[in-house]
Amino acid sequence: MTDDTSAANTASTVTWSSLDPYAQLVRVLLPRMSGLSVFNVRAEVCWSSEMMAIDQATRRLIWESLSTAARQPGQPGEELQSDEGEPLYVFWLRRDGEEHEVFAVVAVRCRAGTEAEQRPFSYFHALVRPAIECLRRELLARREIVDLQDSVATHDSDLSMLLEVAGSGAERHADSADDLKDILANAARHMSAGLAALIVPEKNLVLVHAGEKDAMDPGLVAKAHRHLLSMAQMRREAVIASRVKLTSGEKASCCCILSCPVLRNDGTPMGVLALFRRDDAPEFVARHMRLAELVARRVGTMISNSYDALTGLLTRPAFEQRVQSVLKARSGSSSWSALYLDMNRLHVINDTFGMHVGDRVLTQVGELIRQRLPPGAIAARISGDRFALLFLAELNVASNFAEALRQGVEKISMQIGDGSMQVSASIGVAAVDARCQGFTHAFAAAETACKAANDRGRNRVEVFEESDASIIKRFTDINVIGDLRTAMVEDRLLLNAQLLAPLSTRHHVPHFEILLRMINADGVTVGPDHFLSAAQRYQIMPEIDRWVIGQAIEMLKPHADLLAEDPVIFTINFSGQSLREAGFTDHVAGLIQTSGINPAALCFELTESAAVGNLKHAEELMRRLCKLGCGIALDDFGTGLSSLAYLRSLPISMLKIDGSFVRDVLKDPKAESMIQAVAQLARAMNLVTVAEYVETDEIRMRVAQLGVDYGQGFAIGKPMLLADVLAQLPLYAAAAASPHPPDAPFTAIAV
Ligand code: C2E
Ligand code: CA
Ligand code: CA
């Protein structure tokens, strides 16, 4: 609903409904009354007790009487004579305290009487005065109700507009230009503007919306633009300017402008919101100023959230949204390119010259990008020192642009005035084509090319090319990492467990190794061979290890009571990368200590090569876990340096002989003697041994003969859901509690 028409309509229907009781009252007082009519200030009849229509002559009389009333403040009315010679008593109704302004006229028509009956107007006025006063009050009361309804209706509609404005972009992290366009259109519609504009020069943002009704020439914005911006600078509040003369082309127009500054978070103006009305339209009023201020405030917040304060470029979420809507709207034939820029060694600049210099470098890069950005292109600072751009251009044009940008970045060290500071960037470029299936893949491709530029010496531009094998490998990795991260967020990682069964009666506590699985986007469960090597190359193993350890502990917690006597031991893998991560040890120790789980029911597996490669850190972590009471296993033993000298310094409780030896034990005497030697030595050192990859019964029997304590492999038990193993836990607990441990080696339960 727009604001100016509805109020008048409601007034005419509600205010003037039946006034019959008053007409009857007056008739009692004036028996000769033939009719009572009420007129508004335009001399239009609003209600009448008379059956016949009020003629033009009467209306003219009332019209003249209204001017008399204006000249005679405080007078109650006058006596007139109708064309038919009948007396017409006219009473002027005024609001309380208003001497001049008449809001309605009551006309009482009487039949002509005899000479003797003719009395002065004051006589009749005194007679009917109480009745007329009641009528006046009634009309005023009705008027107030209507005004109230109007103002409620207006407030309702203001509120719904503001709610719409507040809701724009609220569900998303940041807002796109589309949201701003919606807000502008909404404000224009609601405030009956023929034209609305939002101008924020520092963000290259100019949005113009021509109203649906009484649309005005958008060219007027260009004419008023400078004036509006300086107004926003001078007055930090909404301002109404009437009769502003603007010329657009040949035409000169006169209009009314409501302008309101758009403020930054610190209260300084960054732009202006302006609404235009034709000069012949009703003027803007104070209410509109308040509304415009609220809208401008919302717009200011949206812009601040969408743009990075340091560089003036879009933030990552705003960029993604904008890119998505641009690509959705693109025509089939247009080619787009994605560009990914990574600043080289910005941390060195921060460390050497201070964060403020690092910030200045980023600001300058942002400025450089903004200055060079071709029309229609979109640019963002997507994280600390990384930028992303999307623009409408072929790959070769995009790579030329990237090269010019790289050279521009190189010159920044000189501009900042310190020759010793080396500023440079690596840039990757990729086409957004059918194969890249949208921008996520295109940006992954551009990022891959950028990483290749880093590998190949930095400060260079690389284009994503499918013939470039190393780039393709990185590209696959980036996609795998993306899938893995999504799987973590979407809860699509799960834990399996595989039995390590005792091979002789010397041991009777079954172990289970916890193994990670991912349910991929197609719903297929895949093993670590699909994702762990990429995770290793991208150094996100600590993130994965934390997840696995945390999840395993969460799943074991409900069984803490059963695990108190360690009827079963669970082994958990972790990677060499986690050893080097500060805080990892504390994190894991904290998890175990607060879990309430018996630490002896947990054993941590680290590969031999990871342990030997990070001996110092490995030793620290192992000692800490060992002190807590957890077991430590050396995994894939035999594939690393296999020096038992190293082992002496580490608090290890278990050695897992690598599957490659076990698999060959029947056919390779060297493998067989290696297993035997390790088994004997380990026993001498009080270490438990495990043979991995026990794929047949023959292998199981042979490794048992060679003195290996435990077997793990498909012939003993395939990995199964950890949840299923936990469901069987009471069985293991009962077996462990029995006074005679089973004679036969443990194989059956979990298979
Ligand atoms: P691993 O620690 O040596 O784990 C044993 C791997 O051998 C498992 O593969 C298991 O399914 C497989 N395996 C077991 N028995 C046999 C057999 O008889 N024949 C053959 N051919 N293979 C068998 P999976 O689950 O694919 O794990 C592969 C590797 O991924 C693991 O090797 C481990 O290094 C890593 N990994 C698995 N889960 C995790 C985890 O939660 N955290 C970390 N950091 N690494 C994990
Ligand atoms: Ca393992
Ligand atoms: Ca292993």
Side-chain angles (χ1 to χ4, degrees):
M1 176 167 59
T2 57
D3 47 1
D4 296 320
T5 46
S6 57
N9 291 341
T10 339
S12 58
T13 47
V14 178
T15 317
W16 310 109
S17 57
S18 175
L19 297 173
D20 264 336
Y22 295 95
Q24 282 164 18
L25 191 61
V26 174
R27 184 169 287 124
V28 171
L29 299 167
L30 293 178
R32 284 192 297 118
M33 181 189 107
S34 57
L36 183 145
S37 309
V38 180
F39 296 84
N40 66 14
V41 287
R42 291 188 293 276
E44 292 158 350
V45 62
C46 300
W47 184 86
S48 178
S49 68
E50 293 183 87
M51 295 307 284
M52 56 185 187
I54 305 292
D55 55 19
Q56 277 302 321
T58 313
R59 282 197 60 193
R60 204 182 51 249
L61 279 177
I62 299 294
W63 181 250
E64 283 162 8
S65 176
L66 275 162
S67 359
T68 316
R71 287 194 304 274
Q72 297 182 2
Q75 284 303 310
E78 62 178 338
E79 180 183 341
L80 303 172
Q81 209 162 51
S82 72
D83 282 358
E84 293 84 40
E86 287 172 338
L88 191 65
Y89 302 108
V90 174
F91 302 94
W92 301 319
L93 307 190
R94 295 181 165 95
R95 282 174 216 275
D96 292 324
E98 285 181 8
E99 293 280 287
H100 300 268
E101 286 282 312
V102 170
F103 73 89
V105 173
V106 179
V108 180
R109 189 196 295 271
C110 292
R111 285 184 297 277
T114 58
E115 259 331 273
E117 277 182 306
Q118 284 196 353
R119 300 267 168 83
F121 173 77
S122 55
Y123 172 82
F124 292 104
H125 179 244
L127 261 183
V128 298
R129 189 184 175 150
I132 297 293
E133 176 58 15
C134 289
L135 178 57
R136 184 186 78 91
R137 288 185 188 180
E138 162 96 32
L139 291 180
L140 279 177
R142 290 188 186 189
R143 180 107 221 172
E144 259 171 41
I145 291 172
V146 170
D147 285 352
L148 212 61
Q149 280 174 342
D150 284 350
S151 102
V152 169
T154 314
H155 276 91
D156 266 5
S157 99
D158 286 357
L159 199 65
S160 70
M161 183 206 63
L162 290 172
L163 283 175
E164 261 177 60
V165 166
S168 301
E171 271 149 33
R172 287 163 264 180
H173 292 284
D175 314 284
S176 70
D178 289 347
D179 294 322
L180 291 176
K181 276 185 200 155
D182 288 348
I183 289 183
L184 200 62
N186 212 335
R189 193 177 330 115
H190 185 77
M191 290 186 254
S192 311
L195 193 63
L198 175 67
I199 308 166
V200 185
E202 65 188 35
K203 312 288 186 212
N204 290 331
L205 189 74
V206 179
L207 297 178
V208 178
H209 175 86
E212 286 132 38
K213 266 197 330 187
D214 301 329
M216 294 166 74
D217 176 9
L220 293 174
V221 175
K223 301 290 161 198
H225 150 261
R226 219 180 283 275
H227 165 77
L228 291 171
L229 285 172
S230 49
M231 191 102 105
Q233 289 295 336
M234 283 180 322
R235 304 264 305 263
R236 307 227 170 138
E237 61 197 346
V239 177
I240 297 173
S242 310
R243 280 181 281 286
V244 182
K245 283 207 177 58
L246 295 170
T247 43
S248 172
E250 299 286 279
K251 281 191 300 183
S253 333
C254 201
C255 54
C256 177
I257 305 178
L258 164 56
S259 79
C260 185
V262 175
L263 305 176
R264 294 187 194 92
N265 288 344
D266 64 2
T268 54
M270 62 170 149
V272 67
L273 168 77
L275 298 163
F276 295 64
R277 275 185 184 181
R278 283 181 201 288
D279 212 31
D280 52 5
E283 288 206 353
F284 288 111
V285 293
R287 199 188 104 239
H288 297 127
M289 287 164 72
R290 281 199 309 277
L291 281 177
E293 276 173 357
L294 291 171
V295 173
R297 203 181 298 166
R298 171 69 183 148
V299 165
T301 319
M302 282 175 68
I303 292 177
S304 303
N305 289 347
S306 303
Y307 291 87
D308 167 43
L310 203 60
T311 60
L313 300 175
L314 289 172
T315 55
R316 186 188 191 120
F319 175 74
E320 286 176 355
Q321 238 183 67
R322 189 83 61 91
V323 167
Q324 237 158 359
S325 67
V326 164
L327 291 183
K328 218 184 278 166
R330 75 174 159 165
S331 71
S333 59
S334 54
S335 10
W336 290 81
S337 300
L339 197 144
Y340 188 99
L341 182 150
D342 184 6
M343 296 297 298
N344 298 146
R345 301 199 167 103
L346 195 73
H347 62 280
V348 178
I349 295 178
N350 283 336
D351 292 348
T352 323
F353 302 97
M355 294 291 277
H356 62 287
V357 178
D359 282 357
R360 265 171 68 202
V361 169
L362 289 172
T363 309
Q364 295 230 0
V365 174
E367 224 167 82
L368 192 70
I369 295 176
R370 277 193 284 128
Q371 281 164 5
R372 294 175 182 224
L373 210 60
I378 308 165
R381 179 162 80 119
I382 51 169
S383 68
D385 57 354
R386 285 155 198 209
F387 297 81
L389 285 84
L390 175 85
F391 51 105
L392 183 62
E394 299 277 353
L395 201 55
N396 58 339
V397 179
S399 69
N400 290 343
F401 176 90
E403 178 52 29
L405 194 61
R406 186 199 63 75
Q407 290 175 16
V409 172
E410 220 175 15
K411 290 196 187 114
I412 288 178
S413 26
M414 270 113 74
Q415 289 161 14
I416 290 190
D418 192 327
S420 63
M421 189 175 68
Q422 288 299 311
V423 179
S424 69
S426 301
I427 307 180
V429 188
V432 184
D433 61 13
R435 191 188 171 281
C436 284
Q437 298 155 10
F439 83 100
T440 325
H441 278 68
F443 280 101
E447 184 185 351
T448 310
C450 179
K451 293 231 154 62
N454 271 333
D455 290 350
R456 294 169 187 174
R458 297 201 170 96
N459 192 17
R460 52 190 288 150
V461 174
E462 288 291 343
V463 175
F464 181 85
E465 250 145 354
E466 283 170 31
S467 53
D468 190 330
S470 86
I471 282 192
I472 291 297
K473 173 130 198 61
R474 277 192 170 280
F475 183 54
T476 317
D477 278 3
I478 285 179
N479 285 325
V480 168
I481 300 298
D483 289 350
L484 190 59
R485 287 228 155 94
T486 326
M488 276 191 182
V489 173
E490 293 177 358
D491 211 11
R492 284 193 280 108
L493 294 184
L494 58 89
L495 297 181
N496 270 5
Q498 187 182 25
L499 177 67
L500 281 68
L503 295 174
S504 71
T505 48
R506 277 182 298 118
H507 295 276
H508 58 271
V509 178
H511 291 36
F512 283 93
E513 177 175 6
I514 292 178
L515 296 164
L516 179 62
R517 300 288 179 263
M518 172 171 94
I519 303 172
N520 70 16
D522 303 326
V524 179
T525 303
V526 296
D529 49 325
H530 285 78
F531 53 83
L532 280 196
S533 52
Q536 236 137 22
R537 282 192 288 276
Y538 275 75
Q539 310 272 322
I540 60 163
M541 284 309 295
E543 218 175 300
I544 293 172
D545 287 343
R546 279 172 188 250
W547 186 89
V548 170
I549 297 171
Q551 177 69 8
I553 288 181
E554 272 316 301
M555 290 179 74
L556 296 183
K557 259 189 204 169
H559 308 278
D561 284 350
L562 282 178
L563 293 174
E565 300 296 323
D566 45 277
V568 170
I569 291 177
F570 289 95
T571 75
I572 306 177
N573 293 281
F574 70 95
S575 68
Q577 280 170 19
S578 295
L579 286 178
R580 289 187 297 267
E581 199 199 57
F584 183 80
T585 313
D586 288 341
H587 174 74
V588 175
L591 279 181
I592 298 168
Q593 279 169 317
T594 54
S595 69
I597 299 168
N598 170 17
L602 300 174
C603 173
F604 289 87
E605 294 191 15
L606 184 67
T607 62
E608 180 195 16
S609 42
V612 174
N614 302 277
L615 209 56
K616 188 171 150 279
H617 291 116
E619 196 181 335
E620 266 171 33
L621 177 62
M622 288 178 178
R623 290 212 181 283
R624 181 87 179 269
L625 293 172
C626 187
K627 216 168 154 190
L628 282 177
C630 303
I632 308 288
L634 208 57
D635 201 359
D636 300 349
F637 187 74
T639 56
L641 286 174
S642 312
S643 163
L644 293 179
Y646 282 117
L647 301 185
R648 274 218 310 257
S649 66
L650 299 172
I652 295 162
S653 50
M654 177 185 273
L655 273 187
K656 295 187 76 176
I657 304 166
D658 191 68
S660 55
F661 301 101
V662 180
R663 205 188 251 147
D664 289 349
V665 69
L666 299 178
K667 45 185 195 252
D668 181 356
K670 270 197 241 156
E672 187 185 28
S673 41
M674 155 25 176
I675 292 172
Q676 190 167 30
V678 169
Q680 280 175 6
L681 215 76
R683 192 163 301 164
M685 292 173 77
N686 212 15
L687 301 177
V688 170
T689 46
V690 182
E692 297 183 319
Y693 289 26
V694 176
E695 289 178 344
T696 61
D697 270 350
E698 291 76 23
I699 294 177
R700 181 169 58 86
M701 284 186 293
R702 177 61 60 86
V703 291
Q705 277 166 6
L706 295 174
V708 178
D709 301 312
Y710 281 83
Q712 174 182 14
F714 296 162
I716 290 167
K718 290 202 166 167
M720 58 198 282
L721 285 176
L722 173 60
D724 291 347
V725 172
L726 291 174
Q728 294 182 2
L729 215 50
L731 278 178
Y732 294 105
S738 96
H740 307 292
D743 283 345
F746 223 114
T747 52
I749 293 178
V751 181

